[in-house]
Amino acid sequence: QVQVEESGGGLVQAGGSLNLSCTASTSDFDDYVMGWFRQAPGKEREGVSCINWSGTYAYYTDGVKGRFTISRDNAKNTLYLQMKSLQPEDTAMYYCASGPSNGAECELESYAFDYWGQGTEVTVSS
């Protein structure tokens, strides 16, 4: 079992930036694809971005392309999400998730991820 824990959320003004981190408690971090999901109040959880085991492939949902960057450091068992040009619609609880690596890519669907963190809250004020 893998435990993942997010950090880095907070309150930021529109147009600002935040950097999220997620640490995983496993010695086989590079056996897992990693992803970021978010859930805004009153809305369903949605995928934000995912990254393959080696960090060579990343996928982004349309609404964050060009603003968010996902990356990972396998030596530190850590996943990152750099968020720029934040907008009020980015306000949500952000979750880190890990899932088994099945190839060279990742799939940004909840069913592809087995382990989830408790979330870190991001609030963007207008």
Side-chain angles (χ1 to χ4, degrees):
Q1 187 166 351
V2 179
Q3 291 184 325
V4 294
E5 183 174 4
E6 309 90 341
S7 62
L11 173 64
V12 63
Q13 289 188 331
S17 301
L18 275 177
N19 295 323
L20 305 184
S21 297
C22 169
T23 57
S25 64
T26 174
S27 58
D28 301 313
F29 186 63
D30 55 6
D31 283 348
Y32 295 90
V33 296
M34 300 296 296
W36 288 100
F37 291 76
R38 66 186 180 185
Q39 186 168 18
K43 295 187 177 181
E44 293 187 353
R45 185 171 61 191
E46 65 169 345
V48 176
S49 180
C50 65
I51 190 167
N52 72 344
W53 69 272
S54 62
T56 57
Y57 174 87
Y59 179 85
Y60 299 89
T61 192
D62 286 345
V64 307
K65 285 180 182 177
R67 300 189 299 121
F68 290 11
T69 302
I70 191 171
S71 61
R72 64 189 293 163
D73 185 336
N74 287 351
K76 296 182 178 180
N77 285 12
T78 303
L79 174 73
Y80 304 98
L81 185 68
Q82 294 180 305
M83 304 186 294
K84 299 180 180 180
S85 302
L86 284 161
Q87 299 301 316
E89 53 264 36
D90 295 315
T91 294
M93 187 72 78
Y94 282 71
Y95 297 93
C96 169
S98 66
S101 178
N102 293 318
E105 300 181 351
C106 60
E107 186 176 10
L108 191 58
E109 297 288 349
S110 295
Y111 60 71
F113 295 86
D114 297 326
Y115 304 107
W116 296 78
Q118 296 297 308
T120 187
E121 191 164 6
V122 172
T123 303
V124 185
S125 63
S126 57

